[in-house]
Amino acid sequence: MRVSRGILGLAVTLMVAPVGIGFAHGGGSMSGGGTTGSTAGSPSRPEEMAKAAYNSGVHSLKEAKEYEADAAKASNPQKSAKALDKAHQYYSKALEQFIDAVSQQPKMYQAWNYIGFANRHLGSYDAALTAYAKALELNPAYPEAIEYRGEAYLGLNKIDEAKEA
């Protein structure tokens, strides 16, 4: 049911997300997390919350990838399965964190890209494609979203769409 929760969360976010401000270029952690001297309730507050959620999501993705690597080198199927389950848990956690980020700042195309990335790794390719489309709507030349969208099409065995993407 975790995958379904991700799809539902993405759909809800797309419907109710407030209009926000874009963020810095590229993937990875977003820096500049210091305060700007503003008070609570100011326009920068959602931006700070979005950055914190985004950075937490990036950390969760790193954990998930480490568990996937552990699964690949596990000495027996039980250890591999256990590591893959932990990876799945971290991808689910990352998905929730990136959804939180875009609920605060809907124009954060990097978070939309990672929503797609987490969904793809959870096996929810259609939700991944929706998130990549949103990232590319906000930044049409974003290379990571272009690449990952192609991989999502491959996951759905849509070879022609993957080539086109």
Side-chain angles (χ1 to χ4, degrees):
M1 289 297 161
R2 291 180 193 150
V3 174
S4 297
R5 181 176 54 195
I7 294 169
L8 178 62
L10 175 60
V12 169
T13 300
L14 285 171
M15 291 187 294
V16 300
V19 175
I21 302 170
F23 277 86
H25 302 290
S29 296
M30 297 206 167
S31 58
T35 60
T36 59
S38 56
T39 59
S42 71
S44 68
R45 187 69 185 138
E47 180 178 316
E48 292 168 9
M49 292 169 52
K51 284 181 182 180
Y54 178 89
N55 287 334
S56 294
V58 169
H59 177 75
S60 294
L61 285 182
K62 181 182 175 195
E63 292 291 325
K65 290 176 186 180
E66 288 176 9
Y67 278 110
E68 281 184 332
D70 290 347
K73 61 185 175 188
S75 59
N76 65 57
Q78 292 81 12
K79 287 183 180 181
S80 178
K82 188 174 182 176
L84 287 174
D85 184 56
K86 291 295 272 185
H88 184 88
Q89 290 174 24
Y90 275 100
Y91 280 122
S92 295
K93 182 178 180 180
L95 178 60
E96 292 174 12
Q97 292 162 324
F98 292 125
I99 288 171
D100 185 37
V102 298
S103 72
Q104 297 297 321
Q105 293 294 310
K107 292 186 179 182
M108 186 189 283
Y109 62 90
Q110 303 92 332
W112 283 109
N113 178 59
Y114 277 142
I115 288 171
F117 186 86
N119 270 311
R120 186 167 51 88
H121 281 266
L122 291 168
S124 185
Y125 297 103
D126 289 327
L129 289 169
T130 300
Y132 294 138
K134 183 66 177 178
L136 291 168
E137 174 188 318
L138 296 169
N139 184 351
Y142 193 50
E144 288 86 355
I146 294 168
E147 175 187 349
Y148 296 152
R149 179 182 60 182
E151 292 179 20
Y153 280 126
L154 288 175
L156 290 169
N157 202 28
K158 293 183 175 183
I159 307 302
D160 291 336
E161 289 91 338
K163 288 178 184 178
E164 193 175 308

mmCIF file of all heavy atoms in Angstrom, residues 10 13-15 17-20 22 105-113 128-146 149:
data_model
loop_
_atom_site.group_PDB
_atom_site.id
_atom_site.type_symbol
_atom_site.label_atom_id
_atom_site.label_comp_id
_atom_site.label_asym_id
_atom_site.label_seq_id
_atom_site.Cartn_x
_atom_site.Cartn_y
_atom_site.Cartn_z
ATOM 1 N N LEU A 10 0.794 12.432 -4.260
ATOM 2 C CA LEU A 10 1.160 13.224 -5.428
ATOM 3 C C LEU A 10 -0.086 13.873 -6.022
ATOM 4 O O LEU A 10 -0.071 15.055 -6.345
ATOM 5 C CB LEU A 10 1.859 12.341 -6.462
ATOM 6 C CG LEU A 10 2.206 12.992 -7.791
ATOM 7 C CD1 LEU A 10 3.143 14.173 -7.596
ATOM 8 C CD2 LEU A 10 2.842 11.968 -8.716
ATOM 9 N N THR A 13 -1.258 16.689 -3.787
ATOM 10 C CA THR A 13 -0.332 17.813 -3.887
ATOM 11 C C THR A 13 -0.575 18.586 -5.168
ATOM 12 O O THR A 13 -0.581 19.816 -5.163
ATOM 13 C CB THR A 13 1.125 17.323 -3.829
ATOM 14 O OG1 THR A 13 1.325 16.660 -2.583
ATOM 15 C CG2 THR A 13 2.100 18.474 -3.939
ATOM 16 N N LEU A 14 -0.779 17.890 -6.277
ATOM 17 C CA LEU A 14 -1.026 18.565 -7.547
ATOM 18 C C LEU A 14 -2.306 19.392 -7.497
ATOM 19 O O LEU A 14 -2.391 20.450 -8.109
ATOM 20 C CB LEU A 14 -1.120 17.548 -8.681
ATOM 21 C CG LEU A 14 0.193 16.940 -9.140
ATOM 22 C CD1 LEU A 14 -0.079 15.787 -10.100
ATOM 23 C CD2 LEU A 14 1.076 17.976 -9.793
ATOM 24 N N MET A 15 -3.311 18.930 -6.756
ATOM 25 C CA MET A 15 -4.598 19.612 -6.719
ATOM 26 C C MET A 15 -4.609 20.802 -5.767
ATOM 27 O O MET A 15 -5.252 21.793 -6.039
ATOM 28 C CB MET A 15 -5.706 18.635 -6.315
ATOM 29 C CG MET A 15 -5.996 17.598 -7.376
ATOM 30 S SD MET A 15 -7.422 16.574 -6.998
ATOM 31 C CE MET A 15 -6.850 15.690 -5.569
ATOM 32 N N ALA A 17 -1.737 22.316 -4.045
ATOM 33 C CA ALA A 17 -0.498 23.043 -3.774
ATOM 34 C C ALA A 17 -0.656 24.521 -4.084
ATOM 35 O O ALA A 17 -1.153 24.890 -5.133
ATOM 36 C CB ALA A 17 0.644 22.459 -4.609
ATOM 37 N N PRO A 18 -0.225 25.383 -3.147
ATOM 38 C CA PRO A 18 -0.287 26.818 -3.397
ATOM 39 C C PRO A 18 0.813 27.236 -4.363
ATOM 40 O O PRO A 18 1.794 26.536 -4.532
ATOM 41 C CB PRO A 18 -0.046 27.422 -2.003
ATOM 42 C CG PRO A 18 0.763 26.389 -1.297
ATOM 43 C CD PRO A 18 0.270 25.067 -1.821
ATOM 44 N N VAL A 19 0.643 28.374 -4.981
ATOM 45 C CA VAL A 19 1.666 28.891 -5.881
ATOM 46 C C VAL A 19 2.850 29.343 -5.040
ATOM 47 O O VAL A 19 2.692 29.976 -4.013
ATOM 48 C CB VAL A 19 1.105 30.060 -6.713
ATOM 49 C CG1 VAL A 19 2.183 30.687 -7.564
ATOM 50 C CG2 VAL A 19 -0.059 29.581 -7.561
ATOM 51 N N GLY A 20 4.077 28.994 -5.480
ATOM 52 C CA GLY A 20 5.261 29.331 -4.693
ATOM 53 C C GLY A 20 6.377 29.890 -5.541
ATOM 54 O O GLY A 20 6.191 30.272 -6.680
ATOM 55 N N GLY A 22 10.417 29.467 -7.049
ATOM 56 C CA GLY A 22 11.395 28.473 -7.469
ATOM 57 C C GLY A 22 12.635 28.478 -6.609
ATOM 58 O O GLY A 22 12.856 29.384 -5.803
ATOM 59 N N GLN A 105 6.502 24.649 -1.621
ATOM 60 C CA GLN A 105 7.030 25.396 -2.766
ATOM 61 C C GLN A 105 6.762 24.601 -4.044
ATOM 62 O O GLN A 105 7.625 23.846 -4.499
ATOM 63 C CB GLN A 105 8.532 25.645 -2.601
ATOM 64 C CG GLN A 105 8.886 26.579 -1.475
ATOM 65 C CD GLN A 105 8.379 27.993 -1.729
ATOM 66 O OE1 GLN A 105 8.597 28.569 -2.774
ATOM 67 N NE2 GLN A 105 7.682 28.543 -0.749
ATOM 68 N N PRO A 106 5.589 24.743 -4.623
ATOM 69 C CA PRO A 106 5.203 23.938 -5.782
ATOM 70 C C PRO A 106 6.092 24.108 -7.009
ATOM 71 O O PRO A 106 6.077 23.255 -7.888
ATOM 72 C CB PRO A 106 3.778 24.399 -6.098
ATOM 73 C CG PRO A 106 3.300 25.016 -4.830
ATOM 74 C CD PRO A 106 4.497 25.591 -4.154
ATOM 75 N N LYS A 107 6.860 25.169 -7.084
ATOM 76 C CA LYS A 107 7.716 25.383 -8.254
ATOM 77 C C LYS A 107 9.125 24.828 -8.054
ATOM 78 O O LYS A 107 10.002 25.077 -8.870
ATOM 79 C CB LYS A 107 7.773 26.868 -8.599
ATOM 80 C CG LYS A 107 6.436 27.385 -9.107
ATOM 81 C CD LYS A 107 6.517 28.800 -9.592
ATOM 82 C CE LYS A 107 5.158 29.244 -10.106
ATOM 83 N NZ LYS A 107 5.203 30.608 -10.638
ATOM 84 N N MET A 108 9.332 24.035 -7.028
ATOM 85 C CA MET A 108 10.640 23.420 -6.775
ATOM 86 C C MET A 108 10.786 22.203 -7.691
ATOM 87 O O MET A 108 10.458 21.079 -7.331
ATOM 88 C CB MET A 108 10.775 23.012 -5.298
ATOM 89 C CG MET A 108 12.165 22.509 -4.938
ATOM 90 S SD MET A 108 12.271 21.783 -3.284
ATOM 91 C CE MET A 108 12.299 23.237 -2.280
ATOM 92 N N TYR A 109 11.276 22.459 -8.880
ATOM 93 C CA TYR A 109 11.348 21.404 -9.894
ATOM 94 C C TYR A 109 12.268 20.262 -9.482
ATOM 95 O O TYR A 109 12.044 19.122 -9.874
ATOM 96 C CB TYR A 109 11.761 21.972 -11.252
ATOM 97 C CG TYR A 109 13.124 22.617 -11.291
ATOM 98 C CD1 TYR A 109 14.259 21.874 -11.593
ATOM 99 C CD2 TYR A 109 13.268 23.973 -11.020
ATOM 100 C CE1 TYR A 109 15.507 22.463 -11.629
ATOM 101 C CE2 TYR A 109 14.512 24.574 -11.057
ATOM 102 C CZ TYR A 109 15.633 23.815 -11.354
ATOM 103 O OH TYR A 109 16.864 24.403 -11.376
ATOM 104 N N GLN A 110 13.282 20.547 -8.662
ATOM 105 C CA GLN A 110 14.183 19.484 -8.209
ATOM 106 C C GLN A 110 13.423 18.472 -7.345
ATOM 107 O O GLN A 110 13.645 17.265 -7.458
ATOM 108 C CB GLN A 110 15.356 20.047 -7.397
ATOM 109 C CG GLN A 110 16.183 21.073 -8.125
ATOM 110 C CD GLN A 110 15.699 22.507 -7.875
ATOM 111 O OE1 GLN A 110 14.530 22.771 -7.603
ATOM 112 N NE2 GLN A 110 16.621 23.454 -7.984
ATOM 113 N N ALA A 111 12.533 18.958 -6.498
ATOM 114 C CA ALA A 111 11.737 18.059 -5.659
ATOM 115 C C ALA A 111 10.759 17.254 -6.505
ATOM 116 O O ALA A 111 10.540 16.068 -6.248
ATOM 117 C CB ALA A 111 11.003 18.848 -4.573
ATOM 118 N N TRP A 112 10.169 17.887 -7.529
ATOM 119 C CA TRP A 112 9.282 17.135 -8.426
ATOM 120 C C TRP A 112 10.058 16.013 -9.111
ATOM 121 O O TRP A 112 9.552 14.893 -9.252
ATOM 122 C CB TRP A 112 8.660 18.057 -9.480
ATOM 123 C CG TRP A 112 7.547 18.892 -8.941
ATOM 124 C CD1 TRP A 112 7.555 20.242 -8.720
ATOM 125 C CD2 TRP A 112 6.258 18.432 -8.532
ATOM 126 N NE1 TRP A 112 6.346 20.638 -8.201
ATOM 127 C CE2 TRP A 112 5.527 19.549 -8.081
ATOM 128 C CE3 TRP A 112 5.641 17.179 -8.510
ATOM 129 C CZ2 TRP A 112 4.216 19.458 -7.609
ATOM 130 C CZ3 TRP A 112 4.341 17.079 -8.038
ATOM 131 C CH2 TRP A 112 3.644 18.201 -7.608
ATOM 132 N N ASN A 113 11.284 16.311 -9.517
ATOM 133 C CA ASN A 113 12.122 15.287 -10.128
ATOM 134 C C ASN A 113 12.336 14.125 -9.170
ATOM 135 O O ASN A 113 12.228 12.956 -9.548
ATOM 136 C CB ASN A 113 13.458 15.913 -10.544
ATOM 137 C CG ASN A 113 14.405 14.896 -11.138
ATOM 138 O OD1 ASN A 113 14.110 14.257 -12.131
ATOM 139 N ND2 ASN A 113 15.548 14.736 -10.508
ATOM 140 N N ALA A 128 5.552 8.409 -11.383
ATOM 141 C CA ALA A 128 6.871 8.964 -11.687
ATOM 142 C C ALA A 128 6.798 9.843 -12.930
ATOM 143 O O ALA A 128 7.336 10.959 -12.946
ATOM 144 C CB ALA A 128 7.887 7.840 -11.884
ATOM 145 N N LEU A 129 6.127 9.359 -13.971
ATOM 146 C CA LEU A 129 6.005 10.139 -15.201
ATOM 147 C C LEU A 129 5.258 11.446 -14.967
ATOM 148 O O LEU A 129 5.621 12.490 -15.532
ATOM 149 C CB LEU A 129 5.311 9.319 -16.292
ATOM 150 C CG LEU A 129 6.152 8.177 -16.865
ATOM 151 C CD1 LEU A 129 5.300 7.268 -17.744
ATOM 152 C CD2 LEU A 129 7.345 8.721 -17.635
ATOM 153 N N THR A 130 4.244 11.420 -14.120
ATOM 154 C CA THR A 130 3.513 12.640 -13.784
ATOM 155 C C THR A 130 4.428 13.645 -13.098
ATOM 156 O O THR A 130 4.409 14.836 -13.416
ATOM 157 C CB THR A 130 2.306 12.302 -12.879
ATOM 158 O OG1 THR A 130 1.439 11.400 -13.570
ATOM 159 C CG2 THR A 130 1.542 13.555 -12.484
ATOM 160 N N ALA A 131 5.242 13.176 -12.172
ATOM 161 C CA ALA A 131 6.158 14.062 -11.450
ATOM 162 C C ALA A 131 7.245 14.601 -12.377
ATOM 163 O O ALA A 131 7.595 15.788 -12.308
ATOM 164 C CB ALA A 131 6.774 13.331 -10.264
ATOM 165 N N TYR A 132 7.790 13.755 -13.249
ATOM 166 C CA TYR A 132 8.794 14.232 -14.203
ATOM 167 C C TYR A 132 8.189 15.278 -15.137
ATOM 168 O O TYR A 132 8.840 16.269 -15.478
ATOM 169 C CB TYR A 132 9.381 13.085 -15.025
ATOM 170 C CG TYR A 132 10.179 12.091 -14.219
ATOM 171 C CD1 TYR A 132 10.065 10.732 -14.447
ATOM 172 C CD2 TYR A 132 11.069 12.507 -13.223
ATOM 173 C CE1 TYR A 132 10.801 9.809 -13.717
ATOM 174 C CE2 TYR A 132 11.804 11.597 -12.482
ATOM 175 C CZ TYR A 132 11.666 10.245 -12.736
ATOM 176 O OH TYR A 132 12.391 9.346 -12.013
ATOM 177 N N ALA A 133 6.950 15.073 -15.546
ATOM 178 C CA ALA A 133 6.277 16.049 -16.408
ATOM 179 C C ALA A 133 6.166 17.399 -15.698
ATOM 180 O O ALA A 133 6.379 18.449 -16.318
ATOM 181 C CB ALA A 133 4.896 15.539 -16.818
ATOM 182 N N LYS A 134 5.859 17.377 -14.416
ATOM 183 C CA LYS A 134 5.762 18.627 -13.654
ATOM 184 C C LYS A 134 7.134 19.287 -13.545
ATOM 185 O O LYS A 134 7.256 20.506 -13.718
ATOM 186 C CB LYS A 134 5.173 18.354 -12.262
ATOM 187 C CG LYS A 134 4.968 19.598 -11.437
ATOM 188 C CD LYS A 134 3.915 20.509 -12.031
ATOM 189 C CE LYS A 134 3.676 21.708 -11.133
ATOM 190 N NZ LYS A 134 2.705 22.642 -11.686
ATOM 191 N N ALA A 135 8.174 18.503 -13.275
ATOM 192 C CA ALA A 135 9.528 19.060 -13.197
ATOM 193 C C ALA A 135 9.908 19.705 -14.523
ATOM 194 O O ALA A 135 10.476 20.807 -14.546
ATOM 195 C CB ALA A 135 10.534 17.973 -12.824
ATOM 196 N N LEU A 136 9.577 19.048 -15.625
ATOM 197 C CA LEU A 136 9.927 19.569 -16.947
ATOM 198 C C LEU A 136 9.038 20.730 -17.365
ATOM 199 O O LEU A 136 9.463 21.589 -18.142
ATOM 200 C CB LEU A 136 9.906 18.450 -17.979
ATOM 201 C CG LEU A 136 11.040 17.432 -17.789
ATOM 202 C CD1 LEU A 136 10.803 16.193 -18.645
ATOM 203 C CD2 LEU A 136 12.385 18.067 -18.077
ATOM 204 N N GLU A 137 7.836 20.794 -16.842
ATOM 205 C CA GLU A 137 6.978 21.961 -17.072
ATOM 206 C C GLU A 137 7.625 23.199 -16.437
ATOM 207 O O GLU A 137 7.609 24.286 -17.010
ATOM 208 C CB GLU A 137 5.597 21.704 -16.469
ATOM 209 C CG GLU A 137 4.651 22.883 -16.509
ATOM 210 C CD GLU A 137 3.373 22.599 -15.728
ATOM 211 O OE1 GLU A 137 2.831 21.485 -15.838
ATOM 212 O OE2 GLU A 137 2.935 23.505 -14.998
ATOM 213 N N LEU A 138 8.195 23.003 -15.251
ATOM 214 C CA LEU A 138 8.821 24.108 -14.523
ATOM 215 C C LEU A 138 10.207 24.450 -15.064
ATOM 216 O O LEU A 138 10.638 25.603 -15.000
ATOM 217 C CB LEU A 138 8.904 23.762 -13.040
ATOM 218 C CG LEU A 138 7.559 23.595 -12.338
ATOM 219 C CD1 LEU A 138 7.731 22.986 -10.962
ATOM 220 C CD2 LEU A 138 6.831 24.936 -12.266
ATOM 221 N N ASN A 139 10.929 23.438 -15.562
ATOM 222 C CA ASN A 139 12.266 23.643 -16.108
ATOM 223 C C ASN A 139 12.441 22.669 -17.274
ATOM 224 O O ASN A 139 12.926 21.551 -17.088
ATOM 225 C CB ASN A 139 13.331 23.407 -15.039
ATOM 226 C CG ASN A 139 14.733 23.700 -15.525
ATOM 227 O OD1 ASN A 139 14.961 23.926 -16.711
ATOM 228 N ND2 ASN A 139 15.687 23.678 -14.610
ATOM 229 N N PRO A 140 12.045 23.070 -18.472
ATOM 230 C CA PRO A 140 12.040 22.156 -19.622
ATOM 231 C C PRO A 140 13.396 21.557 -19.989
ATOM 232 O O PRO A 140 13.439 20.516 -20.643
ATOM 233 C CB PRO A 140 11.525 23.039 -20.766
ATOM 234 C CG PRO A 140 10.778 24.131 -20.104
ATOM 235 C CD PRO A 140 11.481 24.378 -18.796
ATOM 236 N N ALA A 141 14.479 22.159 -19.564
ATOM 237 C CA ALA A 141 15.808 21.657 -19.922
ATOM 238 C C ALA A 141 16.482 20.911 -18.770
ATOM 239 O O ALA A 141 17.690 20.694 -18.819
ATOM 240 C CB ALA A 141 16.693 22.820 -20.370
ATOM 241 N N TYR A 142 15.733 20.504 -17.764
ATOM 242 C CA TYR A 142 16.322 19.861 -16.592
ATOM 243 C C TYR A 142 16.788 18.444 -16.971
ATOM 244 O O TYR A 142 15.963 17.547 -17.185
ATOM 245 C CB TYR A 142 15.308 19.830 -15.451
ATOM 246 C CG TYR A 142 15.904 19.479 -14.111
ATOM 247 C CD1 TYR A 142 17.036 20.119 -13.623
ATOM 248 C CD2 TYR A 142 15.320 18.507 -13.314
ATOM 249 C CE1 TYR A 142 17.573 19.808 -12.385
ATOM 250 C CE2 TYR A 142 15.845 18.193 -12.070
ATOM 251 C CZ TYR A 142 16.968 18.848 -11.621
ATOM 252 O OH TYR A 142 17.493 18.525 -10.391
ATOM 253 N N PRO A 143 18.100 18.211 -17.086
ATOM 254 C CA PRO A 143 18.604 16.951 -17.642
ATOM 255 C C PRO A 143 18.252 15.712 -16.822
ATOM 256 O O PRO A 143 17.973 14.661 -17.393
ATOM 257 C CB PRO A 143 20.118 17.155 -17.719
ATOM 258 C CG PRO A 143 20.426 18.310 -16.840
ATOM 259 C CD PRO A 143 19.175 19.140 -16.741
ATOM 260 N N GLU A 144 18.242 15.831 -15.506
ATOM 261 C CA GLU A 144 17.927 14.653 -14.690
ATOM 262 C C GLU A 144 16.503 14.172 -14.942
ATOM 263 O O GLU A 144 16.252 12.971 -15.079
ATOM 264 C CB GLU A 144 18.128 14.940 -13.189
ATOM 265 C CG GLU A 144 19.581 15.060 -12.780
ATOM 266 C CD GLU A 144 20.159 16.468 -12.969
ATOM 267 O OE1 GLU A 144 19.464 17.355 -13.507
ATOM 268 O OE2 GLU A 144 21.323 16.663 -12.591
ATOM 269 N N ALA A 145 15.552 15.115 -15.026
ATOM 270 C CA ALA A 145 14.158 14.727 -15.268
ATOM 271 C C ALA A 145 13.994 14.119 -16.660
ATOM 272 O O ALA A 145 13.220 13.178 -16.845
ATOM 273 C CB ALA A 145 13.235 15.929 -15.088
ATOM 274 N N ILE A 146 14.734 14.640 -17.631
ATOM 275 C CA ILE A 146 14.673 14.087 -18.986
ATOM 276 C C ILE A 146 15.182 12.644 -18.981
ATOM 277 O O ILE A 146 14.535 11.737 -19.523
ATOM 278 C CB ILE A 146 15.489 14.959 -19.958
ATOM 279 C CG1 ILE A 146 14.830 16.335 -20.100
ATOM 280 C CG2 ILE A 146 15.629 14.268 -21.313
ATOM 281 C CD1 ILE A 146 15.685 17.370 -20.807
ATOM 282 N N ARG A 149 12.832 10.313 -16.853
ATOM 283 C CA ARG A 149 11.568 10.070 -17.556
ATOM 284 C C ARG A 149 11.752 8.935 -18.563
ATOM 285 O O ARG A 149 10.904 8.048 -18.670
ATOM 286 C CB ARG A 149 11.108 11.352 -18.249
ATOM 287 C CG ARG A 149 9.813 11.177 -19.031
ATOM 288 C CD ARG A 149 9.405 12.435 -19.726
ATOM 289 N NE ARG A 149 10.452 12.849 -20.663
ATOM 290 C CZ ARG A 149 10.387 13.950 -21.395
ATOM 291 N NH1 ARG A 149 9.353 14.755 -21.296
ATOM 292 N NH2 ARG A 149 11.363 14.255 -22.231
#
